[in-house]
Amino acid sequence: MIETRALETVLSDQKEELEARKQEILCHRPEETLVEINSPQAQVIIGVRRSGKSTMCYQALQQKGVRFAYVDFDDERLRELQVGQLNNVLEVLYKIYGDFQYLFLDEIQNVEGWHLFVNRMLRQKMHVIITGSNAKLLSGELATHLTGRNKEIVLYPFSFQEFCEMKGVDAESVTTKATAFRRAAFDEYMQQGGFPELLIIEDKRHYINTLVDNILKRDIEQRYKIVYKAAFEQMAHHLLNISPAIVATQELTHLFHFKSLHTTKNYIEYLKQAYLLVGVQKYSTKSKLRIVQEKLYAVDVAMMNMRDNALSAENLGWRLETIVLIQLLRKCKLNGWDIFYLKERGGECDFLVCQGNHVQQCIQVSYDLSGEKTRKRELNGLQTAAQVTKCNNLLLLTDHTYEDTTYEGLDIKIRPVHEWRASS
């Protein structure tokens, strides 16, 4: 239990920290437009830790100019807070902020039973904005207890365009100078990734090590009471090392000596729910075939090898593919689309963008097309995708090649990823 006086100190400190953000130069995110401030539904912003969720919510509230109260439940001083004390929190908030109709709850999943409080706030016509780092704890409990009275918004680390904005790099001009600066920024982005704080932190390796450790231990092991902690962590790092990779559940079960396939599947699901990994299903018109052979990616390229003892290869093609996927996920969330990968005997295609059962675009990713064998393989993958899906909107993304070509009667655009991302 936490005394009311201690609560007042913590929440006053947090208000002071929030006020200080007014002096910071912040990046506006496209996902801000999805936050419906005046909705009777709880607005739930989820995503990997340190992706900028609280900043995005703060900016959305500031733009509307509404009076709101704020609590960050990731504060270690609130570690012992229990759901029965949330009304005490509300009372202190009214004392500090005065009257308000908007309540911003950061990392609320840290309080067991939190959904009961949120449900009561919604019944009392309070507008509630929630952030959290675990999809199941948020969306699962909300779906059960709020009976659909919530809207879920996923936020990923910075896109390349947002990265350019924060670094002061021109993402639009086509002059030689602007293109060169943008090219240099993309090389940096491909190594560093999009976590906002990495723009100002020098010891990036330590930052990522700590972040991954917190996700594994706090967001997963503690909440799901993982029994085989060491083996679970080894599997998590292994999947980050080899990503992108198609999941071989039986192989992982044998490799890490888990007792059953069920345990392995649960562990993978936990990693996805905490947004350490994201999955892409195999394309098929048959539902039962779409739920097997999922392909896993790190949520950000920084996770791939910026960790102790990673020893993962510096595969620029895999990094480029990961960057493309995260941008596609961001676009698809904004537009209500789905993403699949294609694997057929005739060839493979990295991404199919679908709206309903209609394939809108087939996208292949390859770092370097200078080798004839590589070029033919990538173009053949797009040809196979066009044959299977009847889609002729074909795009091949590379590190630097800009070209329009025809292959086996198909028109294919070849574009550098840094230009595609800047215009997406």
Side-chain angles (χ1 to χ4, degrees):
M1 299 287 286
I2 303 176
E3 294 182 357
T4 302
R5 176 61 67 182
L7 270 178
E8 187 172 340
T9 299
V10 173
L11 298 181
S12 295
D13 287 348
Q14 291 184 359
K15 182 184 180 185
E16 190 174 284
E17 292 171 10
L18 200 66
E19 290 292 323
R21 289 190 179 183
K22 293 180 180 179
Q23 310 303 320
E24 298 176 4
I25 299 175
L26 303 174
C27 175
H28 286 287
R29 316 291 291 273
E31 290 80 4
E32 288 175 32
T33 62
L34 300 178
V35 181
E36 299 178 30
I37 296 296
N38 295 314
S39 172
Q41 295 180 310
Q43 304 295 293
V44 185
I45 292 79
I46 58 175
V48 66
R49 279 184 176 273
R50 317 313 302 170
S51 57
K53 299 185 295 295
S54 59
T55 299
M56 190 202 80
C57 292
Y58 168 73
Q59 293 190 138
L61 287 161
Q62 283 289 105
Q63 277 191 319
K64 295 295 183 180
V66 297
R67 182 190 292 270
F68 67 94
Y70 169 73
V71 188
D72 178 9
F73 292 97
D74 217 24
D75 193 314
E76 82 284 354
R77 294 171 294 179
L78 300 180
R79 186 174 58 240
E80 304 300 324
L81 190 72
Q82 298 176 10
V83 66
Q85 291 186 279
L86 287 176
N87 205 62
N88 296 347
V89 170
L90 185 64
E91 182 180 332
V92 172
L93 289 174
Y94 277 124
K95 181 178 180 181
I96 295 173
Y97 288 90
D99 195 16
F100 57 86
Q101 289 297 315
Y102 299 83
L103 187 57
F104 177 12
L105 307 173
D106 208 354
E107 299 292 349
I108 184 64
Q109 82 276 344
N110 288 338
V111 181
E112 190 172 349
W114 59 271
H115 51 273
L116 301 171
F117 173 74
V118 170
N119 201 13
R120 179 161 63 89
M121 291 297 96
L122 293 175
R123 290 199 306 269
Q124 295 176 2
K125 309 303 181 184
M126 181 74 73
H127 300 288
V128 184
I129 297 92
I130 300 168
T131 77
S133 305
N134 190 298
K136 183 177 180 181
L137 286 172
L138 285 170
S139 58
E141 293 184 4
L142 281 170
T144 301
H145 298 281
L146 299 189
T147 59
R149 298 181 66 193
N150 62 286
K151 178 182 179 181
E152 189 176 284
I153 302 165
V154 180
L155 187 69
Y156 295 96
F158 278 160
S159 67
F160 177 57
Q161 187 163 1
E162 291 161 347
F163 182 84
C164 286
E165 181 180 338
M166 292 303 294
K167 289 186 69 70
V169 175
D170 188 340
E172 304 296 336
S173 177
V174 295
T175 65
T176 302
K177 182 178 180 180
T179 301
F181 285 177
R182 193 159 57 244
R183 170 71 263 185
F186 186 73
D187 287 345
E188 183 181 355
Y189 178 76
M190 192 156 66
Q191 294 298 324
Q192 176 177 308
F195 285 101
E197 290 175 325
L198 287 181
L199 286 163
I200 56 176
I201 289 176
E202 292 187 13
D203 193 347
K204 303 182 191 315
R205 186 184 181 93
H206 175 75
Y207 179 88
I208 294 299
N209 273 324
T210 303
L211 176 58
V212 173
D213 194 57
N214 281 335
I215 292 171
L216 295 178
K217 289 181 167 59
R218 294 178 58 185
D219 294 338
I220 301 177
E221 291 177 4
Q222 288 182 14
R223 305 212 175 272
Y224 296 109
K225 298 178 173 57
I226 300 294
V227 176
Y228 310 106
K229 292 184 174 63
F232 166 70
E233 291 175 18
Q234 286 178 340
M235 188 193 77
H237 284 284
H238 172 69
L239 290 173
L240 288 172
N241 290 342
I242 65 171
S243 67
I246 295 174
V247 176
T249 311
Q250 192 164 359
E251 180 182 325
L252 291 172
T253 303
H254 175 73
L255 181 62
F256 296 101
H257 307 290
F258 298 136
K259 288 187 175 181
S260 68
L261 290 173
H262 182 70
T263 297
T264 306
K265 290 177 181 178
N266 280 343
Y267 285 177
I268 292 171
E269 194 61 29
Y270 298 156
L271 292 168
K272 289 164 55 183
Q273 288 163 2
Y275 286 94
L276 192 64
L277 296 172
V278 293
V280 178
Q281 292 183 334
K282 183 178 179 180
Y283 176 81
S284 175
T285 55
K286 298 179 180 179
S287 179
K288 65 180 182 180
L289 296 180
R290 291 199 297 271
I291 61 176
V292 297
Q293 293 188 313
E294 185 178 39
K295 196 170 186 179
L296 294 178
Y297 291 78
V299 74
D300 188 88
V301 293
M303 300 287 199
M304 295 173 72
N305 64 354
M306 205 181 289
R307 294 170 288 109
D308 290 343
N309 306 314
L311 287 178
S312 57
E314 188 67 14
N315 192 310
L316 297 176
W318 291 350
R319 301 180 80 86
L320 203 66
E321 187 178 330
T322 300
I323 286 172
V324 170
L325 171 67
I326 301 304
Q327 177 65 358
L328 282 173
L329 288 173
R330 186 178 288 109
K331 289 180 65 179
C332 287
K333 290 294 182 182
L334 290 169
N335 294 284
W337 302 336
D338 298 307
I339 307 171
F340 301 91
Y341 77 91
L342 181 77
K343 188 172 184 179
E344 299 283 336
R345 287 186 178 182
E348 301 178 14
C349 184
D350 294 319
F351 305 116
L352 305 181
V353 179
C354 302
Q355 184 170 29
N357 62 357
H358 173 66
V359 178
Q360 293 186 309
Q361 190 173 40
C362 305
I363 300 176
Q364 195 77 303
V365 184
S366 180
Y367 182 79
D368 185 5
L369 292 178
S370 60
E372 186 59 35
K373 185 177 179 180
T374 300
R375 182 183 176 92
K376 184 175 181 180
R377 182 186 68 238
E378 304 300 340
L379 293 175
N380 187 64
L382 285 171
Q383 180 195 21
T384 300
Q387 290 174 343
V388 171
T389 67
K390 310 305 179 187
C391 174
N392 292 320
N393 183 7
L394 309 177
L395 176 65
L396 174 50
L397 293 170
T398 74
D399 180 62
H400 51 271
T401 306
Y402 189 107
E403 178 187 340
D404 291 323
T405 190
T406 301
Y407 181 78
E408 300 293 333
L410 295 169
D411 294 330
I412 298 174
K413 293 181 179 180
I414 304 176
R415 298 290 185 268
V417 172
H418 70 272
E419 291 196 10
W420 170 75
R421 288 180 59 80
S423 61
S424 296

